[in-house]
Amino acid sequence: MSDARDTSATGFSDMITVSVDAMGGDQGPAAVIDGCALSLAKNPQLHILLHGDEAVLAPLVARKPGLAKRLTLQHSPDTVKMDDKPAQVMRHGRGTSMWNALGAQRKGDAQATVSCGNTGALMAVSMLQLRKLPGVHRPAIACLWPSRGKTGFNTMLDVGADVRADEESLLQYAMMGAAYYRNAFNMPRPRVGLLNVGTEDHKGRAEIKEAALLIAQAAQIGQFEFVGFVEGSDIPSERVDVIVTDGFTGNVALKTGEGTARLISDLLRRELTATPWAKIAGLLALRPMRRAKKRTDPSRVNGGVFLGLNGTVVKSHGSADATGVSSAIKLAFTLARSGFQERMSDRLSAVMESVSGRQDTNTESAGGTE
Amino acid sequence: MSDARDTSATGFSDMITVSVDAMGGDQGPAAVIDGCALSLAKNPQLHILLHGDEAVLAPLVARKPGLAKRLTLQHSPDTVKMDDKPAQVMRHGRGTSMWNALGAQRKGDAQATVSCGNTGALMAVSMLQLRKLPGVHRPAIACLWPSRGKTGFNTMLDVGADVRADEESLLQYAMMGAAYYRNAFNMPRPRVGLLNVGTEDHKGRAEIKEAALLIAQAAQIGQFEFVGFVEGSDIPSERVDVIVTDGFTGNVALKTGEGTARLISDLLRRELTATPWAKIAGLLALRPMRRAKKRTDPSRVNGGVFLGLNGTVVKSHGSADATGVSSAIKLAFTLARSGFQERMSDRLSAVMESVSGRQDTNTESAGGTE
């Protein structure tokens, strides 16, 4: 744990290396390199391995004084494109910056990876290179959500790794989401809620009712509090820290929230420029409105974390600017340093054993627990 | 159609009677009666049948001059409560204002019903009293959503009638949603989109890919344009008028949108009252901000319409104020006057016949089409 370390030391032992895929984002590699520079400037214990086309990257790195000392450039001839299909990238992805960024982590040269590229391909190559944690059915993608809570953020998972989730997957999401939130925000006992269409016990789909029972039983081992069912309106609320759902519903909810925020922001802008009087009011209100907007700024909450792999992978938003990339690198650094993966894996194994034991009893199977 | 009518006449033939359940809303019957008064004042062709406890309602009605002439009070001794289970209300709901409001419509005394009560119970009693349209698998609830489009609103369905939907149900939602949108907003050829986690053909669940094929084939009979897959961020966009999804996803999306809007509004209010300077700016910006807020005001978009029944039922939000109740009554009036149910039913039958014909061909069944 970081508390036990000598944090004043600057020796290699305290350094965390983050592997960064510089290609594939909508804003191009310049934004990624600006983000690396921002993040490195704030954090002396961070080192970066930057993957991509050297001919493009080297001049961009050279432009920033001192950057070349904090960052190692590794050439990759190819790039995964946004419309490449995951299966295709798994077969033919060698030589791409995404492949090599994850490869460096697999070899132990980096403790986490960040990419702005194609989400499906990143998940596929991550599973191939890092492998799933023992006992994990499917990895999940966890996003951060601006909230009324103490930390200012809630997390929701899965937001798109898998379009379906049975009760055991939902249980694993609860365990993994709680571990992630605890380590990202230093909250010893996060509150976990299961997304449903109502908070009454009789509502929702069968697998969700079943998952509620499993999650309630796992709360002690998982070191979280289970608050039961939550609704869409609770996602940004202070009732809950971790919202568990399947990847279809989570992805729709995430994008609906983003779309709603953008609509409101556009309407406000339109009204505050409609008349000369409104323009003056708008100018005066600019600062407080910016502060409010900052609370819900996508670049501050940037970073979808892949959970359930042997290692930390952060998917930065495709359209992330330098601030967004820097947030994603910071998140990868924090999680890699916490070493939470191992503890999470142990707890997950304990819970899944008790679930499989329970099922064996239920079905009166002759076999023992695994 | 209303164009063919003599709209200057005030004779009984042009009148539309809306049956209103005055009980069961969070704001109590006074808000419902205020909403009735607002709606009646704006619309000379509207008559209201008001159901509820006469001892409570009569004094409230008497307080408003002239209201008693435009509204008929019908006593119901009981009220459906928000936590009553639908099955319970179906068995023991006789004598409640909800039951009687729908009963009046069934008997032909009213052409539409409005209630602020328990959604599940309202759907259950609506199905019992009005019955489903021929060929409809499950009725759906359609909500309105503030949008960037020409009319200012998109519609989404299902938002909570059924937590699952197969491809045929999704097809029926597309048909019903298009018919509703056409008649509520006088748009001859609405654009229909199917909610998914991406717009590429290979993404999403199997039943959604299957539904996309069925909806594309039904576009001509259904008189809509099918725009293909849309994402959560498209729900308030100008790309689409009607968003089709299952009731679980739709309900989560609706509540996520509401929760996001509320969070942003709260953050803005907090920032615009934080310092004396911000307060001045806030006061000056009040009008344009109110105009922007009005565009996304839940009471303006109030009214979940039940589609797929023999008759129009509008579920007003439980917490609707007088403006909200008035919007819901206006919507019920507009839809009842358009007589769209019958045309929708004919088109639905034609499409479902072609679907069942297609399946018979596919499975090489010996039987003919229904």
Side-chain angles (χ1 to χ4, degrees):
Chain A
M1 299 280 304
S2 60
D3 290 349
R5 289 182 186 173
D6 177 8
T7 49
S8 68
T10 52
F12 190 76
S13 63
D14 275 345
M15 295 296 285
I16 296 283
T17 301
V18 175
S19 189
V20 175
D21 168 16
M23 317 303 279
D26 303 340
Q27 310 261 332
V32 176
I33 288 173
D34 288 351
C36 290
L38 268 178
S39 205
L40 287 164
K42 283 188 216 152
N43 196 340
Q45 294 181 306
L46 171 66
H47 184 77
I48 285 175
L49 275 187
L50 193 70
H51 301 265
D53 184 350
E54 200 164 8
V56 176
L57 300 182
L60 292 168
V61 170
R63 227 185 272 165
K64 304 236 162 204
L67 186 60
K69 280 184 208 154
R70 304 281 312 277
L71 169 155
T72 309
L73 191 54
Q74 298 198 328
H75 179 62
S76 293
D78 294 326
T79 300
V80 173
K81 287 187 287 297
M82 277 298 176
D83 54 356
D84 284 347
K85 292 195 179 172
Q88 206 178 326
V89 178
M90 280 174 82
R91 280 195 300 273
H92 311 292
R94 274 164 221 279
T96 62
S97 54
M98 184 187 282
W99 189 283
N100 291 336
L102 287 159
Q105 184 175 354
R106 186 177 50 82
K107 282 187 282 176
D109 296 343
Q111 286 77 55
T113 299
V114 171
S115 172
C116 304
N118 179 328
T119 308
L122 186 64
M123 178 54 92
V125 179
S126 297
M127 282 174 67
L128 195 71
Q129 299 239 30
L130 304 178
R131 300 283 162 191
K132 291 185 290 182
L133 280 176
V136 167
H137 296 187
R138 295 280 299 180
I141 305 175
C143 75
L144 292 175
W145 198 287
S147 89
R148 292 186 164 83
K150 255 185 256 172
T151 65
F153 297 106
N154 292 344
T155 189
M156 179 164 74
L157 75 167
D158 174 31
V159 295
D162 199 353
V163 292
R164 292 200 187 276
D166 62 10
E167 55 271 23
E168 288 195 11
S169 292
L170 292 169
L171 165 64
Q172 297 194 337
Y173 298 169
M175 297 287 296
M176 300 194 296
Y180 164 44
Y181 197 87
R182 178 169 32 252
N183 288 282
F185 296 104
N186 199 21
M187 288 276 277
R189 204 155 171 267
R191 294 157 307 164
V192 172
L194 185 57
L195 193 59
N196 201 348
V197 293
T199 52
E200 303 91 340
D201 285 346
H202 66 281
K203 288 207 172 172
R205 294 173 173 165
E207 73 271 23
I208 292 180
K209 293 178 212 172
E210 186 59 29
L213 299 175
L214 295 179
I215 295 173
Q217 284 162 2
Q220 202 177 358
I221 300 178
Q223 297 186 17
F224 58 79
E225 179 190 340
F226 182 51
V227 301
F229 293 139
V230 296
E231 299 186 88
S233 47
D234 293 317
I235 299 175
S237 82
E238 68 274 66
R239 270 195 67 203
V240 66
D241 303 307
V242 179
I243 296 107
V244 170
T245 189
D246 66 90
F248 188 91
T249 311
N251 186 279
V252 166
L254 175 62
K255 289 179 179 164
T256 302
E258 288 173 353
T260 306
R262 219 175 306 132
L263 175 72
I264 295 174
S265 160
D266 288 355
L267 289 175
L268 273 175
R269 192 176 310 121
R270 194 189 303 168
E271 291 298 342
L272 286 169
T273 52
T275 64
W277 181 249
K279 274 183 197 163
I280 295 170
L283 277 175
L284 291 171
L286 206 59
R287 270 192 170 201
M289 283 178 68
R290 274 209 187 126
R291 274 197 298 270
K293 201 177 170 178
K294 208 182 158 192
R295 282 284 309 273
T296 57
D297 183 1
S299 76
R300 269 189 72 233
V301 299
N302 186 37
V305 175
F306 291 3
L307 294 170
L309 299 163
N310 286 300
T312 295
V313 177
V314 176
K315 164 67 176 74
S316 168
H317 205 290
S319 61
D321 59 4
T323 315
V325 172
S326 168
S327 310
I329 294 172
K330 166 85 187 301
L331 185 58
F333 174 88
T334 306
L335 291 175
R337 193 176 54 178
S338 78
F340 83 116
Q341 296 271 5
E342 209 167 301
R343 297 192 296 277
M344 180 174 88
S345 179
D346 292 345
R347 289 196 189 113
L348 211 52
S349 302
V351 161
M352 294 320 287
E353 249 174 51
S354 81
V355 166
S356 102
R358 203 184 69 105
Q359 287 185 333
D360 287 347
T361 314
N362 285 350
T363 56
E364 299 186 72
S365 147
T369 58
E370 284 172 49
Chain B
M1 296 284 304
S2 62
D3 289 351
R5 287 182 187 175
D6 177 8
T7 49
S8 68
T10 50
F12 189 76
S13 62
D14 276 344
M15 294 297 285
I16 296 283
T17 300
V18 175
S19 190
V20 175
D21 168 15
M23 317 303 280
D26 301 340
Q27 309 261 332
V32 176
I33 288 172
D34 287 351
C36 290
L38 268 179
S39 206
L40 287 165
K42 283 187 216 153
N43 195 339
Q45 294 181 305
L46 172 66
H47 185 77
I48 285 175
L49 274 187
L50 193 71
H51 302 265
D53 184 349
E54 199 162 9
V56 176
L57 300 182
L60 291 168
V61 171
R63 228 185 269 166
K64 303 237 163 203
L67 186 60
K69 280 183 206 155
R70 306 280 313 275
L71 170 156
T72 309
L73 190 54
Q74 298 199 329
H75 179 62
S76 292
D78 295 327
T79 299
V80 173
K81 285 187 287 295
M82 276 299 178
D83 54 357
D84 285 346
K85 292 196 179 170
Q88 205 179 328
V89 177
M90 279 175 81
R91 279 196 300 273
H92 310 293
R94 274 163 221 280
T96 62
S97 54
M98 183 187 282
W99 189 282
N100 291 336
L102 288 159
Q105 184 175 354
R106 186 177 51 80
K107 281 187 282 175
D109 296 344
Q111 286 79 57
T113 298
V114 172
S115 173
C116 303
N118 180 329
T119 309
L122 185 64
M123 179 55 92
V125 179
S126 296
M127 282 172 69
L128 196 71
Q129 298 239 30
L130 304 179
R131 301 283 163 191
K132 292 186 288 182
L133 279 177
V136 168
H137 296 186
R138 295 279 302 180
I141 305 175
C143 75
L144 292 176
W145 198 289
S147 91
R148 292 184 163 84
K150 255 185 257 173
T151 65
F153 298 106
N154 291 345
T155 189
M156 179 164 72
L157 74 168
D158 174 30
V159 295
D162 199 353
V163 291
R164 291 200 187 274
D166 61 12
E167 55 271 24
E168 288 197 11
S169 292
L170 293 169
L171 166 63
Q172 297 195 336
Y173 298 169
M175 296 287 297
M176 298 194 299
Y180 164 44
Y181 197 87
R182 181 181 310 117
N183 287 281
F185 296 104
N186 200 22
M187 288 276 276
R189 204 154 170 268
R191 293 158 307 164
V192 172
L194 185 57
L195 193 59
N196 200 348
V197 293
T199 52
E200 302 91 341
D201 284 347
H202 65 279
K203 289 206 171 171
R205 295 174 173 165
E207 72 271 24
I208 293 178
K209 293 178 211 171
E210 186 60 29
L213 300 176
L214 295 180
I215 295 172
Q217 285 163 359
Q220 202 178 357
I221 299 179
Q223 297 186 15
F224 57 79
E225 180 191 341
F226 182 50
V227 302
F229 293 141
V230 295
E231 299 186 88
S233 47
D234 293 317
I235 300 176
S237 82
E238 68 275 64
R239 272 196 66 204
V240 64
D241 303 306
V242 178
I243 296 106
V244 170
T245 188
D246 67 89
F248 187 91
T249 311
N251 186 279
V252 166
L254 175 62
K255 288 178 179 164
T256 302
E258 288 173 353
T260 306
R262 219 176 303 133
L263 175 72
I264 295 174
S265 160
D266 288 355
L267 289 174
L268 273 175
R269 192 176 308 122
R270 197 190 300 167
E271 290 299 341
L272 285 170
T273 51
T275 65
W277 180 250
K279 273 184 196 162
I280 295 170
L283 277 176
L284 290 172
L286 206 59
R287 270 194 171 200
M289 285 179 67
R290 274 207 186 129
R291 273 197 298 270
K293 199 175 172 181
K294 209 183 157 192
R295 282 285 308 273
T296 58
D297 182 0
S299 76
R300 269 190 74 231
V301 299
N302 185 36
V305 175
F306 292 3
L307 294 170
L309 299 163
N310 286 298
T312 295
V313 177
V314 176
K315 164 68 174 74
S316 169
H317 206 291
S319 61
D321 59 5
T323 315
V325 172
S326 167
S327 309
I329 294 172
K330 167 83 187 302
L331 186 58
F333 174 87
T334 305
L335 291 174
R337 195 176 52 175
S338 78
F340 83 116
Q341 296 271 6
E342 208 167 302
R343 295 191 297 277
M344 179 174 89
S345 178
D346 291 346
R347 289 196 189 112
L348 210 53
S349 303
V351 162
M352 295 320 287
E353 248 174 53
S354 80
V355 167
S356 101
R358 203 185 70 104
Q359 287 184 335
D360 286 348
T361 313
N362 286 350
T363 54
E364 300 186 68
S365 147
T369 58
E370 283 170 50

